[in-house]
Amino acid sequence: MLNAKTMTMTMTNTAAAAAPSACSRSRSLRVASPAAPRAATALLRRRERERECSAGTMRRSSWARPPTSSAPARLAVRCMAKGTGAVDAETLFAERDACGVGLIARRDGVREHEVISNAINACGCMEHRGGCSADNDSGDGAGIMCEIPFELLRQECWPQIEEGKHGVGMLFLPLDDQHAAEARLLVEQCFESEGVKVEGFRDVPVNNEVVGPFAVATQPRIEQVLVSSAGGATGDALDRELFLARKALENADARLRAARESGCDDESFEGAACEWFQSLYVCSLHTRKVVYKGMLRSAVLGEFYLDLQSEAFKTSWAVYHRRFSTNTTPKWPLAQPFRTLGHNGEINTVQGNLNWLFGGEATLRHPNWEGKDEVLYPVGDQTISDSGNLDRLVELMVLSGRSPMEAIMVVVPEAYKNHPELEARYPQARDFYEFYAGLQEAWDGPALLVFCDGKHLGAALDRNGLRPARYWTTDKYVYVASEVGVIGDGNEDSAEVTSKGRLGPGHMMYVDLASGEVFENEAVKSQISSRLPYGEWVAAHRSSVSPSASTFLGEAAMSEAQLLQYQAAFGWSAEDVQLIITNMAMEGKEPTYCMGDDVPLPVLAEAPHQLFDYFKQKFAQVTNPAIDPLREGLVMGLDMALGARANVLDVGPEHARQLHLATPILNETQLEEVKASELLGTRTLSVACEGGDLAAALQRLCDEAVAAVREDGAQCLVLSDRAGAAAGEVPTLQPEECPIPILLAVGAVHHRLIREGVRLQASIVAESAQCFSTHHMATLVGYGASAVCPYLGLETARQWQGGGRT
């Protein structure tokens, strides 16, 4: 157990002991002013801006950080404030807002300061792509990821640092001196618990004068930490130790009391710890790379971090990013690049991705972690951004033995069906995507991803190709950027350029940092998808249900009176039958309505509504990608898989043992196939609510589901309100029983299985008379169902077909 003296720890190395005092806790390297002068400076700057805008119409709110405004809006506000009148259209539409991201790499691996200078300049040229606060000075975020500047760190502080044997972490710490000391102590304890030795801390010199008022109000203390392995691990093995150490720190709530017992006697420590723990963040912790970032404008990134100005700061590659915050409030930790990725776009499926990630954590295992897999959890974090969660998953896969290219192909797959180029040039990639489609749900949305693991540096685009990505190469350099013209003499039109192009939808390219070789899309996909015989695994182990056209029941099972009775019992109206079911049966597509909808919200309506009606589509704030597989078949599909989803970190042929569905909508005969499948060991669970006690019925249903999966090994659960009737039979209505709303049943079972850690061991199928519209099907799938059998809707369509009505 460390004592309180380590809270003011300096380096123990004898050579370091003779180094300048900047390495100690004296903070002489830090250019930052103390907290009080900084606040005073921010206040003066705020008042100065208020005087400048006094003649305008800008509305100023409280000190709280206002919503990020778009570039055109900011331009309009500036013009109004200056009294220049309206903005001309050419200037207004020239403004573009979306994160700016790019990379630069020397192909020969030589480290030089010019690389970091060019990256800073390129990032600054993308200022118009980022967001800014109403103070027009606090950026949504900007940052650079690059090689650790070993030469600079040897000169400044750590002469003993060795490549491969040491790692460097970039930390955000609380500003208060006492809280910062407690945070350092916690860092040391957590790191030592995972066999990582802390050799010292370094104050990162910064210039606070360039930080905007809103950003400075939440600015953290920024320090670096030098670490090594107590057991002598180096290279990749040390990186895995550092990852485990960081995870221990992230999960350190239980360690706060231990920190107090080892020397922090302040009675308010526990309460204060809860406050400052939120200010503790690890930007990066690695043996090869480091991240400099903050809630800054890209134009001042190089001025803020004084390290970046030093000629001793040398690197052979760099990733830069300017953030435009869409779905999260800007914060210092949310600036990019993250630890592996820089992302321009948004993941619109993030909530579902996180639920599946949490539900599958118990299955994540890999020999690289030597039995410490439980330390990896939780992988996701609901308090951070979509980009941050994607980064965490890719980072885990990379440290578990994948290349970043393969990891991105798994989690952000391209549209591989109906793809002539893929079929002609790298058809083995189709087998790769087919294999992983049943194991890993796609993280979907507009995405330009720039990535680096210290060995490979590259970029990839989402399946829709909704973000710009240009690349060009010379004999000496490789460049990728959100737009051209950001590098100066090294721009796309330079005579030195040997090749250039743009990433298309689903495309990827990367640089091997060891050899300097550049691999473009076809070579990347062929290289990754040929590693294992994915096609053979799928062909040998995956099965499919029969096509719907050959299994659809031709004759109605109910009389008209029986059908009307069932429709009324399950909450259908005459309008539902005429406007939805009949329309879809006639046209083969969903009905089209007018744009307006004057129906009262269900929560405010006097008439009863089905549970489905309380849910509406959640629209993305920036870009809604294609969401209709019928009209956008090139980039979307309806394929689903039933069965257990195995460990995605360590795959094998048995992982392909699933039942493939061409669509999540099953007819009665197909559902009988699913129930009879020996592969799945399907269990049918009743959603009947006996006696009207809904809470008790839900508890019973969830208990039965957990027991079926955990004790009986069922890989498919059918939640049914059909009362045990088989295909072609008329189910019996029981007056004393009403079914649990099927959406509630699916959601309850889905989340209970997640909490029990067995969600990925079984699929959920809904067999219900309650659903009949496309909205109902989409909602059920969204809340956890892999397939739906709307048996009463199908019976209604058969009645219409046999009745001769048109």
Side-chain angles (χ1 to χ4, degrees):
M1 183 69 67
L2 298 175
N3 57 36
K5 293 182 180 179
T6 58
M7 289 165 46
T8 56
M9 173 183 175
T10 57
M11 294 177 301
T12 56
N13 185 280
T14 54
S21 60
C23 296
S24 70
R25 297 268 55 82
S26 67
R27 316 200 61 76
S28 59
L29 244 182
R30 189 175 179 85
V31 179
S33 305
R38 178 165 54 245
T41 301
L43 182 59
L44 289 173
R45 295 175 71 180
R46 179 188 178 193
R47 288 176 177 171
E48 181 180 353
R49 279 186 172 76
E50 287 177 343
R51 287 194 296 270
E52 292 175 354
C53 297
S54 60
T57 58
M58 180 186 293
R59 181 180 180 274
R60 287 176 291 278
S61 60
S62 66
W63 260 114
R65 199 275 192 211
T68 301
S69 55
S70 67
R74 293 196 304 273
L75 180 62
V77 168
R78 290 199 298 271
C79 291
M80 286 189 295
K82 295 178 181 178
T84 57
V87 183
D88 68 278
E90 182 176 349
T91 303
L92 180 63
F93 294 120
E95 295 277 331
R96 293 291 183 270
D97 271 340
C99 301
V101 63
L103 63 84
I104 304 172
R106 274 198 64 138
R107 301 180 66 174
D108 56 10
V110 174
R111 295 171 182 169
E112 62 180 8
H113 183 66
E114 184 180 356
V115 171
I116 204 69
S117 297
N118 283 338
I120 292 172
N121 292 337
C123 192
C125 287
M126 293 191 184
E127 176 61 29
H128 62 287
R129 301 186 69 87
C132 209
S133 297
D135 63 9
N136 204 32
D137 202 8
S138 298
D140 283 6
I144 284 181
M145 173 168 57
C146 61
E147 286 183 289
I148 295 172
F150 290 101
E151 182 178 332
L152 172 70
L153 295 179
R154 289 190 187 101
Q155 292 179 8
E156 294 282 348
C157 199
W158 296 318
Q160 81 275 27
I161 189 171
E162 294 185 55
E163 297 184 37
K165 293 185 177 181
H166 285 93
V168 173
M170 180 72 84
L171 307 178
F172 287 166
L173 301 178
L175 275 178
D176 180 82
D177 289 340
Q178 174 64 20
H179 292 168
E182 294 167 356
R184 290 187 209 100
L185 175 60
L186 186 63
V187 168
E188 294 172 35
Q189 290 180 322
C190 292
F191 283 17
E192 289 192 358
S193 71
E194 296 298 332
V196 174
K197 179 183 177 183
V198 174
E199 297 192 15
F201 292 88
R202 171 184 181 247
D203 300 311
V204 177
V206 296
N207 175 15
N208 288 315
E209 297 303 316
V210 300
V211 184
F214 291 124
V216 81
T218 57
Q219 181 182 338
R221 184 185 304 240
I222 305 174
E223 297 185 7
Q224 288 174 335
V225 59
L226 179 67
V227 295
S228 60
S229 172
T234 60
D236 292 343
L238 177 54
D239 282 328
R240 288 191 291 272
E241 286 190 3
L242 299 183
F243 178 80
L244 292 174
R246 196 194 83 222
K247 294 298 292 187
L249 181 62
E250 291 175 353
N251 301 327
D253 296 301
R255 296 182 178 273
L256 293 177
R257 290 190 300 274
R260 180 182 181 184
E261 293 171 0
S262 52
C264 299
D265 298 326
D266 183 359
E267 293 182 359
S268 64
F269 174 73
E270 290 184 357
C274 295
E275 178 183 345
W276 64 250
F277 190 76
Q278 303 304 314
S279 302
L280 177 58
Y281 176 77
V282 182
C283 301
S284 61
L285 183 63
H286 207 267
T287 61
R288 298 182 180 89
K289 54 186 180 178
V290 67
V291 174
Y292 285 76
K293 68 177 185 178
M295 193 172 153
L296 308 163
R297 294 182 295 114
S298 57
V300 301
L301 177 63
E303 298 178 51
F304 178 72
Y305 283 111
L306 302 186
D307 281 354
L308 302 180
Q309 302 175 22
S310 172
E311 291 293 329
F313 195 114
K314 297 179 180 180
T315 180
S316 64
W317 61 268
V319 171
Y320 54 89
H321 188 279
R322 175 65 169 103
R323 186 174 188 236
F324 181 82
S325 177
T326 54
N327 297 323
T328 54
T329 301
K331 299 177 182 177
W332 283 78
L334 297 185
Q336 298 190 44
F338 288 108
R339 300 167 188 121
T340 303
L341 301 176
H343 174 212
N344 170 19
E346 58 180 7
I347 303 301
N348 293 326
T349 57
V350 64
Q351 188 59 54
N353 294 135
L354 287 176
N355 278 334
W356 285 113
L357 190 56
F358 292 141
E361 284 177 348
T363 68
L364 297 178
R365 296 286 187 274
H366 195 276
N368 278 1
W369 302 111
E370 300 177 347
K372 294 185 176 181
D373 306 89
E374 70 283 351
V375 183
L376 307 178
Y377 318 142
V379 179
D381 183 351
Q382 297 192 48
T383 66
I384 63 175
S385 65
D386 50 353
S387 307
N389 278 294
L390 177 60
D391 176 84
R392 289 167 71 99
L393 177 58
V394 171
E395 179 190 30
L396 175 61
M397 296 181 72
V398 168
L399 290 172
S400 297
R402 308 290 181 85
S403 69
M405 295 78 69
E406 182 177 359
I408 290 175
M409 285 178 65
V410 171
V411 298
V412 189
E414 66 180 309
Y416 62 94
K417 294 188 175 182
N418 305 312
H419 194 326
E421 180 188 1
L422 183 151
E423 294 291 345
R425 305 178 70 175
Y426 48 101
Q428 63 272 30
R430 181 192 63 248
D431 298 328
F432 175 93
Y433 292 127
E434 287 280 5
F435 175 80
Y436 277 106
L439 298 180
Q440 174 65 51
E441 76 290 338
W443 289 61
D444 190 45
L448 164 58
L449 299 169
V450 177
F451 56 85
C452 186
D453 66 344
K455 301 176 184 177
H456 312 90
L457 176 69
L461 204 58
D462 71 282
R463 61 177 172 84
N464 282 294
L466 296 177
R467 291 293 181 267
R470 300 279 185 173
Y471 67 90
W472 60 102
T473 65
T474 68
D475 292 333
K476 191 175 180 181
Y477 293 100
V478 177
Y479 305 94
V480 176
S482 295
E483 55 191 54
V484 297
V486 297
I487 305 298
D489 292 339
N491 65 43
E492 187 187 26
D493 297 323
S494 170
E496 300 177 358
V497 172
T498 57
S499 65
K500 61 183 180 180
R502 68 178 182 87
L503 292 181
H507 284 188
M508 181 186 298
M509 59 86 65
Y510 82 95
V511 186
D512 185 319
L513 294 174
S515 66
E517 189 174 0
V518 178
F519 297 88
E520 297 191 16
N521 185 63
E522 181 180 344
V524 178
K525 303 299 175 58
S526 299
Q527 181 186 95
I528 299 300
S529 56
S530 300
R531 282 184 57 247
L532 296 169
Y534 297 107
E536 296 178 12
W537 292 353
V538 170
H541 296 282
R542 195 178 76 174
S543 56
S544 301
V545 298
S546 303
S548 60
S550 63
T551 59
F552 191 78
L553 297 177
E555 299 295 329
M558 298 182 184
S559 66
E560 287 193 23
Q562 286 177 317
L563 181 64
L564 183 60
Q565 182 184 27
Y566 272 80
Q567 290 171 347
F570 285 98
W572 293 31
S573 69
E575 285 188 344
D576 293 329
V577 175
Q578 295 169 7
L579 299 181
I580 298 180
I581 298 294
T582 301
N583 191 291
M584 288 193 294
M586 291 174 60
E587 302 290 337
K589 62 182 181 181
E590 63 182 328
T592 302
Y593 297 94
C594 63
M595 289 292 290
D597 185 0
D598 60 355
V599 177
L601 294 174
V603 71
L604 300 176
E606 295 181 0
H609 281 259
Q610 287 190 307
L611 188 59
F612 299 106
D613 297 341
Y614 290 83
F615 298 86
K616 297 293 183 182
Q617 180 183 357
K618 181 178 180 181
F619 286 90
Q621 294 186 24
V622 178
T623 308
N624 241 2
I627 59 171
D628 186 346
L630 299 179
R631 298 176 181 87
E632 300 290 347
L634 289 178
V635 291
M636 294 195 73
L638 290 171
D639 300 63
M640 302 291 278
L642 299 182
R645 291 166 52 175
N647 178 14
V648 74
L649 296 184
D650 193 16
V651 299
E654 68 282 357
H655 288 43
R657 294 184 72 253
Q658 293 181 322
L659 185 65
H660 175 258
L661 308 178
T663 169
I665 311 302
L666 301 177
N667 62 41
E668 297 94 333
T669 307
Q670 290 175 318
L671 182 60
E672 291 302 316
E673 285 188 45
V674 171
K675 291 180 178 180
S677 171
E678 295 182 1
L679 168 67
L680 299 178
T682 305
R683 282 285 305 277
T684 301
L685 306 177
S686 172
V687 298
C689 179
E690 298 179 4
D693 190 340
L694 181 59
L698 281 172
Q699 183 66 43
R700 184 264 310 163
L701 176 64
C702 292
D703 290 343
E704 290 179 357
V706 172
V709 175
R710 182 170 285 161
E711 299 172 13
D712 302 337
Q715 295 188 31
C716 182
L717 303 176
V718 176
L719 309 186
S720 176
D721 59 23
R722 197 176 173 86
E729 297 180 358
V730 179
T732 303
L733 288 176
Q734 300 293 339
E736 67 278 4
E737 293 182 3
C738 63
I740 300 171
I742 192 63
L743 181 59
L744 181 61
V746 167
V749 171
H750 172 68
H751 285 282
R752 174 66 180 276
L753 295 180
I754 288 176
R755 290 194 297 272
E756 296 288 339
V758 295
R759 179 61 185 93
L760 264 60
Q761 296 180 28
S763 300
I764 298 174
V765 175
E767 180 185 25
S768 178
Q770 303 172 42
C771 49
F772 51 82
S773 75
T774 53
H775 173 68
H776 298 168
M777 310 304 169
T779 310
L780 285 168
V781 171
Y783 277 86
S786 296
V788 181
C789 178
Y791 66 88
L792 189 59
L794 298 174
E795 178 66 14
T796 303
R798 283 190 288 267
Q799 287 275 7
W800 167 83
Q801 183 183 35
R805 288 170 293 184
T806 59

